Short mmCIF file of all heavy atoms in Angstrom, two decimals:
data_model
loop_
_atom_site.label_atom_id
_atom_site.label_comp_id
_atom_site.label_asym_id
_atom_site.label_seq_id
_atom_site.Cartn_x
_atom_site.Cartn_y
_atom_site.Cartn_z
N PRO A 363 34.69 -24.25 -35.30
CA PRO A 363 34.15 -23.68 -34.07
C PRO A 363 34.70 -24.42 -32.85
O PRO A 363 34.92 -25.63 -32.88
CB PRO A 363 32.64 -23.89 -34.20
CG PRO A 363 32.41 -24.04 -35.67
CD PRO A 363 33.66 -24.69 -36.22
N THR A 364 34.90 -23.68 -31.79
CA THR A 364 35.46 -24.24 -30.57
C THR A 364 34.67 -25.45 -30.09
O THR A 364 35.26 -26.43 -29.65
CB THR A 364 35.49 -23.16 -29.46
OG1 THR A 364 36.17 -22.02 -29.96
CG2 THR A 364 36.17 -23.66 -28.23
N CYS A 365 33.36 -25.40 -30.20
CA CYS A 365 32.55 -26.51 -29.70
C CYS A 365 32.86 -27.81 -30.44
O CYS A 365 32.81 -28.89 -29.88
CB CYS A 365 31.07 -26.19 -29.77
SG CYS A 365 30.47 -25.83 -31.42
N PHE A 366 33.22 -27.73 -31.74
CA PHE A 366 33.56 -28.93 -32.50
C PHE A 366 34.94 -29.47 -32.10
O PHE A 366 35.19 -30.66 -32.17
CB PHE A 366 33.56 -28.68 -34.00
CG PHE A 366 32.20 -28.45 -34.56
CD1 PHE A 366 31.96 -27.36 -35.38
CD2 PHE A 366 31.14 -29.30 -34.27
CE1 PHE A 366 30.71 -27.14 -35.91
CE2 PHE A 366 29.88 -29.08 -34.79
CZ PHE A 366 29.66 -28.00 -35.61
N SER A 367 35.81 -28.59 -31.69
CA SER A 367 37.16 -29.03 -31.36
C SER A 367 37.18 -29.89 -30.10
O SER A 367 38.07 -30.70 -29.92
CB SER A 367 38.10 -27.84 -31.20
OG SER A 367 37.71 -27.06 -30.11
N PHE A 368 36.19 -29.73 -29.23
CA PHE A 368 36.13 -30.56 -28.04
C PHE A 368 35.73 -31.99 -28.39
O PHE A 368 36.13 -32.93 -27.74
CB PHE A 368 35.12 -30.00 -27.02
CG PHE A 368 35.53 -28.69 -26.44
CD1 PHE A 368 34.70 -27.60 -26.51
CD2 PHE A 368 36.77 -28.53 -25.84
CE1 PHE A 368 35.07 -26.38 -25.98
CE2 PHE A 368 37.16 -27.32 -25.30
CZ PHE A 368 36.31 -26.25 -25.37
N VAL A 369 34.93 -32.16 -29.43
CA VAL A 369 34.41 -33.47 -29.79
C VAL A 369 35.51 -34.42 -30.20
O VAL A 369 35.61 -35.53 -29.70
CB VAL A 369 33.36 -33.33 -30.93
CG1 VAL A 369 32.91 -34.70 -31.40
CG2 VAL A 369 32.18 -32.51 -30.45
N GLY A 370 36.36 -33.99 -31.12
CA GLY A 370 37.38 -34.88 -31.62
C GLY A 370 38.76 -34.65 -31.04
O GLY A 370 39.72 -35.28 -31.45
N GLY A 371 38.88 -33.74 -30.13
CA GLY A 371 40.17 -33.46 -29.52
C GLY A 371 41.12 -32.71 -30.44
O GLY A 371 42.32 -32.72 -30.24
N ILE A 372 40.59 -32.07 -31.51
CA ILE A 372 41.47 -31.35 -32.42
C ILE A 372 41.82 -30.00 -31.84
O ILE A 372 41.11 -29.47 -31.00
CB ILE A 372 40.83 -31.18 -33.82
CG1 ILE A 372 39.53 -30.38 -33.73
CG2 ILE A 372 40.62 -32.51 -34.47
CD1 ILE A 372 38.93 -30.05 -35.07
N GLU A 373 42.91 -29.45 -32.31
CA GLU A 373 43.33 -28.14 -31.83
C GLU A 373 42.68 -27.06 -32.67
O GLU A 373 42.07 -27.32 -33.69
CB GLU A 373 44.85 -28.04 -31.93
CG GLU A 373 45.55 -28.98 -30.98
CD GLU A 373 47.05 -28.79 -31.01
OE1 GLU A 373 47.49 -27.65 -31.17
OE2 GLU A 373 47.75 -29.78 -30.89
N HIS A 374 42.85 -25.83 -32.24
CA HIS A 374 42.27 -24.69 -32.93
C HIS A 374 43.23 -24.26 -34.05
O HIS A 374 44.14 -23.50 -33.82
CB HIS A 374 42.08 -23.51 -31.98
CG HIS A 374 41.28 -23.87 -30.77
ND1 HIS A 374 39.93 -24.03 -30.82
CD2 HIS A 374 41.65 -24.12 -29.50
CE1 HIS A 374 39.49 -24.33 -29.62
NE2 HIS A 374 40.52 -24.39 -28.80
#
Side-chain angles (χ1 to χ4, degrees):
T364 306
C365 59
F366 290 131
S367 65
F368 293 125
V369 174
I372 60 174
E373 293 184 35
H374 306 284

